[in-house]
Amino acid sequence: MNVRLLLFLLIWPTSIWAQGFAGLGTDAEGFSVPERGYVFDFPADHGAHPDYRIEWWYLTANMQDAEGRDYGLQWTLFRSALIPDEIDGQIFMGHAAVTTPDDHYVTERLARGSLGHAGVTAEPFEAWIDEWQMVGDMEVLSLKAGSDEFSYELELRNEGPLIFHGDAGYSVKSAEGQASHYYSLPYLALSGTLALPEGEVEVTGEAWLDREWSSQPLSDTQTGWDWFSLSFESGDKMMGFALRQTDGSVYTYATWIALEGETQAYPDGALSATPLETSQTSGAEVPTKWRVELPDRGVDVEVQAINPNAWMTTSVPYWEGPVTISGSHKGRGYLEMTGYE
Amino acid sequence: MLLRARDVSKTYSIADQTLQVLRGVDLDLAASETLALTGESGSGKSTLLHLVGGLDVPDAGSIEIEGTDIAGRSDAERAHLRRTDIGVVFQQFNLIPSLTVADNIAFQARLAGSADKEWIAYLGQTLGLEDQLSKYPEQLSGGQQQRVAIGRTLAVRPKLVLADEPTGNLDEASAQTVMDLFLKLVGETRAGLLLVTHSKSLASRLDRNVHLSVGVVS
Amino acid sequence: MIRTTLAALMSYWRRNLLQLITLLAGIALATALWSGVQAVNAEARASYDAAAATLGEGRFDHLRAADGGSIDQETFVALRRAGWLVSPIVEGRINGVRVIGLDALTAPIGIAPVSLTEQADLGAFLSGGGQIFGRPDALAALEGTVEAELIADPNIAPQTLTTDLVFAQELLGREGEIDRLLIATVQPKQQATLAEIAPNLTRISAQSGSDIGRLTDSFHLNLTAFGFLSFAVGFFIVHSAIGLAFEQRRPMIRTIRALGVPLNILLALMMVELILFALIAGVAGVILGYFIASALLPDVAATLQGLYGANVSGTLAFRASWWATGLLIALGGTTIASVSAFLKLAKMPLLAGGQIRAHVMVAGRRAAVLAILAAACAVLAVILAATADGLVSGFALLASVLIGAALALPLILDQMLRASQSLSSGAKAQWFWADTRQQLPGLSLALMALLLAMAANVGVSTMVSSFRLTFVDFLDQRLASELYLTVEEDRAKEITGYLEPRVDAILPIVSAEAQIKGVETEVFGARVHSTQRDNWTFLDAMADPWDQVAGGAGILLNEQLARRTDTWPGAIVALGGQSFEVVGVYGDYGNPIGQAIVSEEVFAELYPEEIANNFGLRISVDQVDDLLSDLETQFGISSENVINQAEIKAFSLQVFERTFTVTAALNVLTLAVAGFAILMSLLTLAAMRVPQLAPVWAVGITRRSLGQLELLRALILAFFTILIAVPLGIVLAWVLLAVVNVAAFGWKLPLFLFPADYLQLAILSLLAAALAAFWPALKLTRLRPAELLKVFANER
């Protein structure tokens, strides 16, 4: 067994995709727990919350080159606390990926907070691990990551409002009430350069930044999740997830983001996501074509992976990649699937 | 018919010479019949005995034991026959030096899986070996050793006993004793006996005599 | 049938216990020596692997502060943020044990303690309380002094403890300090240059550092050769024991077959019997091997530590794989040793082979076959000697020399005995020589064992002694300066200025990495001085090589480089855009990579950025102590930075003494095995001798006299064998030094002869032979006349 992988199962006991490894550290002893009615405070809340067990800065993007070829991109910094509030107890994990219709490049970094080669500061905003970084003032951000195979250097410009999910940023994840604080910046315009093995590519597109922190995000009976961020040609956007439970049922949630930035939260049951096709990836077999329905908004779409083999061969593996949308609405988006391995 | 040999030929090549030892021999032996095979040295007596015992195969001709030709049988089948139905007493005593007298007597019967303790005990007693049972062959005299070999052969109650000058290595007195015992016990087992000997007096004690001369029955 | 047959087969051994013991002891000894030597090698290699894994040395390039000091954490962060995947290591000693702190999150895979993953508590490893991994003996050094959890892990290097970086920094009182940065093999595409980020760090490549495995290969090769020879000796014993037993059982086999057991079943049962013996003896052998290895290991460990600075655990961990390999060796050896016996048996016709052939005469066809085989081995050896270019062919050469000599031994001895016979006069002497010739076949396997044991002893001791002489000579050449000084680069000028008037000469030692004819080479700039002219010896050189180097046009190469590129004096090589003439090739033992020397001036021109901070100082010996204390008071240069040549030499010699302890122990063991082989052969022959001796006794030679003659015979045969073994051993040493060494390491060691040692060995071998022959001879002397008389009475 891969040494790194084992390390990870230990470090991320409460991370969402480790739920399959039942019951590890599900108590929130010593850590703060998300509360309904929390009042966000920016720019401080763009930074780290070391009193919570886990947190992430999660950016995905759909991009095209000059010829209109599709690309997907991921830049993620995870924070996990072994001990609340102490810098010694903070561990960071960075994931970066670029997906083309034919290839999927993945890389990963690890760091502890105490040495200083990874961290997050709110003002000025900077999230970094090694030479990777997301830095700027939340209106303009520069983004960088890479490996021995690929790298990218991009500029992001915020063109819309900040969106809160759930009840004003209090996002419930199960019937038992597990929750996280969750907001997004879904209106990031992106431009820059991807350096891939086949050469450099100039790209433009749209990015979506998710910010989420919690101490106890999933219940024991939840085995994984399927998460969608969809941008329709109409200008509307939707974030939705379905948490799969051991009894075969799902717990769903959706945020509808209208063109003007107004949001509506849909509780459990409003959204449905049905797998239509599965693909054998370099990791597990996962659904790569979905039917996603939100009848209240007239949404009945097929979501199709641009590259079915967007398997993240990281310490804790999962699937993350760009998708195209067809049906009642057209557009592009990102799909994340965990708990299939 | 216990043994029925027809037109048996055997040639040996030694160095550059070929030696035809048997040239079409016919031989019959009925059950419980005793037969002496006589002839000069080199007449082929021992060779015929070896062929009948399945220790070697003839070049031509057939050798039937109870109607089955053994010439065409495999090594393993012939070995099985020797183990169970045919007993051979050699001129040299051919005992296993590292086994005791008792184990030597029981050896072939154990190989055949038919060791009859009472019969073996009787043989030991009759052959006058009771006091020698825990000794090793090298501690016995020649006559005693041949008695052990006879005991070993008869312990299986073979249908056919083959003996090649069994007393050839013994002095006259012990040869007489051993042969008396041998013939008595063969009679008791009702086995057929084919005895190779050059002794006329010994041959005369058997039911029938066949003389071999230069590879043919004369 | 099977049980009865097996019981009969086994009854033979019950009645011939001595043969059984010979067979079992032969297998056990061969297995023991082989597995013992393998165990020593395996333990040492495991230690290197653990060291490499723990320290990352030899596998990963690393960064060090150019001034030899520590690296601060900011530099580490700056490198990481500039795209350098480096991982920090802090090292220190607590209670004499090496403590290594590492960062499990950035460490290259395989560096962090393996059991970290098994113990499944990374949280504990990373945070505060601490977990310390190490071998039990190393952990014991910390017992009670720290509060951390101590976890035993045999995969950690000996005398080393591994823990989290931050915890180690706390333990060592070195918060925020880093000693080395390991550089991951795979690095991002985009990366700033080292000079931009951390100009004060130097990159040390994995190969030029301390690839302990390669340096010590030479030593292990020697041990392996010894193990191989020991096994061969044991194998001969087994072969002879099996051969004898099969010969003696021929009548019994015939009888059993005649009584109706098919040949294939009989053969299968005999194989089962042998496998059983091999397994029993193999188990005994492995256990014995363990004790041999345990006894040798402390000396081996000391040798390796001293010679190469390699840490090897002095205690042996019993590894499960030994059982497997030990038993496999026992089974394999027994199988090979019995193949010919089985083949003979399988071909034996039922009606023949009833007679015991006490031995096979070396006569006619068989002698011819032996002679042809021996000649084939000799031809093969000559071809291999000319063409061998790798370890495998080197070992093949060794094997063909040894097997050829062993096969030829009976023929040569027979000729020697024939010559002695023709020179002797008198009936008794004539009979003695003739009878000895007749005994030869029965004894030849034991004598072959003696030959191999003796030759191995001569060979290995010649090799080790030659190595010592060469190495001591080499140290004199290389460590000609009385003192060696290491200073910080920026103080070099100041200190050399101070030293200038106080010493006879200052010889800077400065080097750079380069490629010569495509081979990785360390180029040195030398200040040519009488020191080199007086001390250096060359394997091949033009006239006045040092003057030519000083003149700027000449370059010196080490032997490895010369051999690898086939470049010898007179050739021209290119370096840094200039051409140099090779003016000399020097021996450079123990160094895996190429080396070249140019003059100080040329070097400065080629590598202006390299500044010397190591110096050799020539000074008269009585001033050494004063200078040392002056350096201490004037510049605060502690003894750590000054190496006293006399101490190094004394230390090296001491190390060699430990090496000799190992060699001597193995010598005694192999000789003992050979002696045992002779004893067993004589004892088994003794019984068969009676019919041969009886007539001689009958015609009036007393038993006492016969006994004396038997003893004398053994001594004469041993003596003749020794006469052949000494030159064979020297050939063996030559193969090891001049062929195997060159093939394996690129340098040739000169061969020296040690006649006094050989004489001593010869006496020891004669003694072994005499001891072995004494008991059988004594038995003969005490043979009851009745036994002899039986020969005449017991006609069959």
Side-chain angles (χ1 to χ4, degrees), chain C residues 128-139:
Chain C
Q131 280 186 323
I132 302 180
F133 293 82
R135 296 189 183 204
D137 52 334
L139 287 172

PDB file of all heavy atoms in Angstrom, chain C residues 128-139:
ATOM      1  N   GLY C 128       3.840  17.527  19.006  1.00  0.00           N
ATOM      2  CA  GLY C 128       4.273  17.645  20.387  1.00  0.00           C
ATOM      3  C   GLY C 128       4.885  16.431  21.057  1.00  0.00           C
ATOM      4  O   GLY C 128       6.098  16.301  21.112  1.00  0.00           O
ATOM      5  N   GLY C 129       4.039  15.529  21.531  1.00  0.00           N
ATOM      6  CA  GLY C 129       4.476  14.430  22.382  1.00  0.00           C
ATOM      7  C   GLY C 129       5.596  13.601  21.784  1.00  0.00           C
ATOM      8  O   GLY C 129       6.523  13.192  22.476  1.00  0.00           O
ATOM      9  N   GLY C 130       5.509  13.367  20.479  1.00  0.00           N
ATOM     10  CA  GLY C 130       6.600  12.720  19.798  1.00  0.00           C
ATOM     11  C   GLY C 130       6.562  11.205  19.836  1.00  0.00           C
ATOM     12  O   GLY C 130       6.130  10.587  20.799  1.00  0.00           O
ATOM     13  N   GLN C 131       6.995  10.639  18.726  1.00  0.00           N
ATOM     14  CA  GLN C 131       7.198   9.205  18.631  1.00  0.00           C
ATOM     15  C   GLN C 131       8.607   9.039  18.093  1.00  0.00           C
ATOM     16  O   GLN C 131       8.992   9.742  17.170  1.00  0.00           O
ATOM     17  CB  GLN C 131       6.223   8.585  17.624  1.00  0.00           C
ATOM     18  CG  GLN C 131       4.842   8.364  18.193  1.00  0.00           C
ATOM     19  CD  GLN C 131       3.964   7.629  17.207  1.00  0.00           C
ATOM     20  OE1 GLN C 131       4.054   7.858  16.006  1.00  0.00           O
ATOM     21  NE2 GLN C 131       3.110   6.761  17.704  1.00  0.00           N
ATOM     22  N   ILE C 132       9.364   8.121  18.683  1.00  0.00           N
ATOM     23  CA  ILE C 132      10.726   7.909  18.215  1.00  0.00           C
ATOM     24  C   ILE C 132      10.856   6.475  17.741  1.00  0.00           C
ATOM     25  O   ILE C 132      10.485   5.544  18.449  1.00  0.00           O
ATOM     26  CB  ILE C 132      11.747   8.211  19.342  1.00  0.00           C
ATOM     27  CG1 ILE C 132      11.560   9.654  19.805  1.00  0.00           C
ATOM     28  CG2 ILE C 132      13.166   7.987  18.851  1.00  0.00           C
ATOM     29  CD1 ILE C 132      12.506  10.045  20.914  1.00  0.00           C
ATOM     30  N   PHE C 133      11.374   6.319  16.540  1.00  0.00           N
ATOM     31  CA  PHE C 133      11.535   4.996  15.957  1.00  0.00           C
ATOM     32  C   PHE C 133      13.006   4.612  15.929  1.00  0.00           C
ATOM     33  O   PHE C 133      13.864   5.443  15.675  1.00  0.00           O
ATOM     34  CB  PHE C 133      11.002   4.994  14.517  1.00  0.00           C
ATOM     35  CG  PHE C 133       9.519   5.177  14.432  1.00  0.00           C
ATOM     36  CD1 PHE C 133       8.962   6.449  14.508  1.00  0.00           C
ATOM     37  CD2 PHE C 133       8.676   4.092  14.300  1.00  0.00           C
ATOM     38  CE1 PHE C 133       7.600   6.622  14.432  1.00  0.00           C
ATOM     39  CE2 PHE C 133       7.305   4.250  14.226  1.00  0.00           C
ATOM     40  CZ  PHE C 133       6.763   5.519  14.300  1.00  0.00           C
ATOM     41  N   GLY C 134      13.283   3.342  16.177  1.00  0.00           N
ATOM     42  CA  GLY C 134      14.668   2.891  16.107  1.00  0.00           C
ATOM     43  C   GLY C 134      14.745   1.428  16.479  1.00  0.00           C
ATOM     44  O   GLY C 134      13.747   0.806  16.869  1.00  0.00           O
ATOM     45  N   ARG C 135      15.952   0.860  16.323  1.00  0.00           N
ATOM     46  CA  ARG C 135      16.164  -0.510  16.766  1.00  0.00           C
ATOM     47  C   ARG C 135      16.190  -0.510  18.293  1.00  0.00           C
ATOM     48  O   ARG C 135      16.551   0.499  18.900  1.00  0.00           O
ATOM     49  CB  ARG C 135      17.490  -1.041  16.237  1.00  0.00           C
ATOM     50  CG  ARG C 135      17.477  -1.109  14.732  1.00  0.00           C
ATOM     51  CD  ARG C 135      18.693  -1.830  14.221  1.00  0.00           C
ATOM     52  NE  ARG C 135      18.655  -1.795  12.749  1.00  0.00           N
ATOM     53  CZ  ARG C 135      19.275  -2.672  11.975  1.00  0.00           C
ATOM     54  NH1 ARG C 135      19.994  -3.629  12.504  1.00  0.00           N
ATOM     55  NH2 ARG C 135      19.184  -2.585  10.669  1.00  0.00           N
ATOM     56  N   PRO C 136      15.827  -1.631  18.901  1.00  0.00           N
ATOM     57  CA  PRO C 136      15.708  -1.647  20.363  1.00  0.00           C
ATOM     58  C   PRO C 136      16.969  -1.161  21.081  1.00  0.00           C
ATOM     59  O   PRO C 136      16.871  -0.427  22.073  1.00  0.00           O
ATOM     60  CB  PRO C 136      15.425  -3.116  20.665  1.00  0.00           C
ATOM     61  CG  PRO C 136      14.772  -3.638  19.435  1.00  0.00           C
ATOM     62  CD  PRO C 136      15.388  -2.876  18.290  1.00  0.00           C
ATOM     63  N   ASP C 137      18.156  -1.559  20.582  1.00  0.00           N
ATOM     64  CA  ASP C 137      19.373  -1.165  21.295  1.00  0.00           C
ATOM     65  C   ASP C 137      19.594   0.338  21.235  1.00  0.00           C
ATOM     66  O   ASP C 137      20.114   0.944  22.178  1.00  0.00           O
ATOM     67  CB  ASP C 137      20.600  -1.942  20.782  1.00  0.00           C
ATOM     68  CG  ASP C 137      20.735  -1.853  19.266  1.00  0.00           C
ATOM     69  OD1 ASP C 137      19.708  -1.648  18.596  1.00  0.00           O
ATOM     70  OD2 ASP C 137      21.862  -1.991  18.771  1.00  0.00           O
ATOM     71  N   ALA C 138      19.193   0.943  20.113  1.00  0.00           N
ATOM     72  CA  ALA C 138      19.339   2.391  20.006  1.00  0.00           C
ATOM     73  C   ALA C 138      18.317   3.098  20.896  1.00  0.00           C
ATOM     74  O   ALA C 138      18.622   4.095  21.559  1.00  0.00           O
ATOM     75  CB  ALA C 138      19.175   2.831  18.552  1.00  0.00           C
ATOM     76  N   LEU C 139      17.113   2.550  20.927  1.00  0.00           N
ATOM     77  CA  LEU C 139      16.064   3.148  21.755  1.00  0.00           C
ATOM     78  C   LEU C 139      16.462   3.107  23.224  1.00  0.00           C
ATOM     79  O   LEU C 139      16.171   4.018  23.999  1.00  0.00           O
ATOM     80  CB  LEU C 139      14.736   2.410  21.552  1.00  0.00           C
ATOM     81  CG  LEU C 139      14.034   2.650  20.222  1.00  0.00           C
ATOM     82  CD1 LEU C 139      12.850   1.709  20.070  1.00  0.00           C
ATOM     83  CD2 LEU C 139      13.571   4.093  20.105  1.00  0.00           C
TER      84      LEU C 139
END
